[in-house]
C-alpha cells in the first residue's frame, strides 16, 4: 500500500501546486515511484506546471464512469523518472456536489495504486471536499508564506481539519455528529467537551481520531526580511487545536521559480543549482526522514519503501 501525503494551504496563491510538483520530482529522483494527484476541485492546474495543457483523461472520467480504473488515468510526466500525474477535474455539477460514496470509492482506488508515494494536491479553502481529501492521507503538509493573512488562514484550516477529523469518527446520524455540526468551536478542547455532553463514551473515540494528526509546515517565498513567528503559530495550534506543527523547511524567494512556471518545468529541473531548487532537495530529505520517524514511532503503518 502506498504512503499518502496530502499538501494543503489555508488560502490560494501561496505556491501549493508548485511545491507539489517539485517535491514529486525530487522524490522520484531519489528512486521512489511517485504519483501526483490533483484534487483541487474546480481549480486543477498541476498538469499545466508540467506543460500538459489538454490531458486526455482526468479525475472527471473516474467520477462519471464507474468502469474507469484510476491506474489508467496516471500519465507519465518525467520520463524516464517514475513520476506520474493524475490530472484534476474541472468544476461540474458532479464534482461540486460530490457524493460521499464517490469519495470513498476514490480513496479505495488510491490505496490500490501501483506506486510508492502518492502526493495529493488539495484545493485551497475549507470546504468539506478540501478537508476530506486532506485528511485521507497518512501524512500532512501545510504550505504558507510569510504573509500574516496566509499564516492566519493556515491556522483556521488546520483547526477546521481537526474538527472535521473528529466529526468523521462518528456516524452521520450520531447525536455527537449533530452536536458538532451546529456549533462554532474555537478549540479542540471545546469539541471534546461537546462530544462528552452528547455521548460521554465518545470522547475516547474523538481523541483516537486526532492521534497522529501532526501537519508539517513548508514556508514559501522566504526572504532575509521575512518575519514569521512559527513558535507563536505552534503554540496556537497546541493550545487550540491540540496538535504540534513541525517546520519541514523554507523555500526562498527566487526568480528562477517564476521562470520555471513560465517554462512549464519544476524549478529543480530547470535550475537545479538555484536557491529554491537546493531548498527543495533539503525539504525532500526532511520529508523522507519525517515519514520514517513517524512510522517507526506509531508502528501503525506497514514498512514503506521510503529509503534515501
Amino acid at each position: 500500500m502506498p504512503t499518502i501525503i496530502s499538501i494543503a494551504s489555508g488560502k490560494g496563491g501561496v505556491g501549493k501546486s508548485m511545491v507539489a510538483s517539485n517535491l514529486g520530482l525530487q522524490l522520484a529522483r531519489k528512486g521512489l515511484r511517485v504519483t501526483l494527484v490533483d484534487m483541487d476541485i474546480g481549480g486543477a492546474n498541476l498538469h499545466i506546471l508540467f506543460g500538459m495543457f489538454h490531458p486526455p483523461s482526468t479525475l472527471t472520467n473516474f467520477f462519471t464512469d464507474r468502469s474507469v480504473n484510476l491506474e489508467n488515468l496516471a500519465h507519465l510526466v518525467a520520463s524516464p523518472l517514475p513520476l506520474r500525474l493524475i490530472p484534476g477535474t474541472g468544476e461540474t455539477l458532479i464534482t461540486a456536489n460530490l457524493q460521499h460514496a464517490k469519495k470513498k470509492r476514490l480513496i479505495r482506488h488510491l490505496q490500490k495504486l501501483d506506486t510508492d508515494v502518492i502526493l495529493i494536491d488539495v484545493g485551497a479553502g475549507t470546504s468539506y471536499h478540501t478537508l476530506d481529501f486532506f485528511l485521507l492521507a497518512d501524512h500532512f503538509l501545510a504550505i504558507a508564506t510569510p504573509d500574516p493573512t496566509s499564516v492566519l488562514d493556515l491556522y483556521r484550516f488546520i483547526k477546521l481539519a481537526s474538527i472535521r477529523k473528529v466529526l468523521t469518527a462518528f456516524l452521520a446520524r450520531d447525536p455527537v455528529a449533530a452536536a458538532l455540526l451546529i456549533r462554532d468551536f474555537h478549540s479542540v478542547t471545546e469539541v471534546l467537551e461537546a462530544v462528552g455532553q452528547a455521548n460521554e463514551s465518545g470522547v475516547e473515540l474523538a481523541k483516537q481520531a486526532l492521534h497522529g494528526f501532526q501537519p508539517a509546515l513548508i514556508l514559501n517565498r522566504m526572504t532575509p526580511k521575512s518575519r514569521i513567528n512559527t513558535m507563536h503559530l505552534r503554540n496556537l495550534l497546541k493550545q487550540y487545536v491540540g496538535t504540534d506543527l513541525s517546520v519541514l523547511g523554507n523555500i526562498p524567494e527566487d526568480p528562477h521559480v517564476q521562470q520555471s512556471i513560465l517554462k512549464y518545468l519544476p524549478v529543480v529541473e530547470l535550475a537545479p543549482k538555484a536557491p529554491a531548487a537546493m531548498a527543495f532537495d533539503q525539504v525532500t530529505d526532511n520529508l523522507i526522514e519525517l515519514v520514517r520517524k513517524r512510522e517507526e514511532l506509531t508502528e501503525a503503518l506497514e514498512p514503506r519503501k521510503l529509503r534515501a
Side-chain angles (χ1 to χ4, degrees), residues 42-59:
N45 61 6
L46 193 53
H47 56 285
I48 295 175
L49 296 183
F50 289 97
M52 186 186 297
F53 300 104
H54 302 289
S57 54
T58 71
L59 279 177

Side-chain angles (χ1 to χ4, degrees), residues 264-275:
Y264 311 111
L265 285 172
V267 70
V268 297
E269 176 72 15
L270 178 70
K273 297 299 182 183

Side-chain angles (χ1 to χ4, degrees), residues 157-216:
F157 177 85
I158 295 178
K159 183 187 79 168
L160 290 174
S162 300
I163 295 172
R164 181 66 174 169
K165 203 165 191 343
V166 172
L167 180 64
T168 54
F170 299 92
L171 297 175
R173 297 181 182 277
D174 193 295
V176 173
L180 296 182
L181 282 171
I182 62 174
R183 286 183 54 184
D184 178 25
F185 298 96
H186 295 92
S187 71
V188 167
T189 300
E190 291 183 10
V191 174
L192 296 178
E193 289 175 354
V195 170
Q197 292 170 3
N199 181 357
E200 190 172 341
S201 62
V203 175
E204 189 58 37
L205 180 60
K207 290 181 177 179
Q208 289 176 6
L210 289 172
H211 179 71
F213 182 57
Q214 296 179 315

Side-chain angles (χ1 to χ4, degrees), residues 10-48:
K11 61 180 290 187
V14 300
K16 173 174 52 62
S17 296
M18 183 275 295
V19 169
S21 63
N22 281 278
L23 283 181
L25 186 54
Q26 284 301 88
L27 286 169
R29 283 178 168 174
K30 294 179 185 294
L32 298 166
R33 297 175 302 153
V34 181
T35 301
L36 290 162
V37 184
D38 193 343
M39 289 192 181
D40 189 345
I41 301 295
N45 61 6
L46 193 53
H47 56 285
I48 295 175

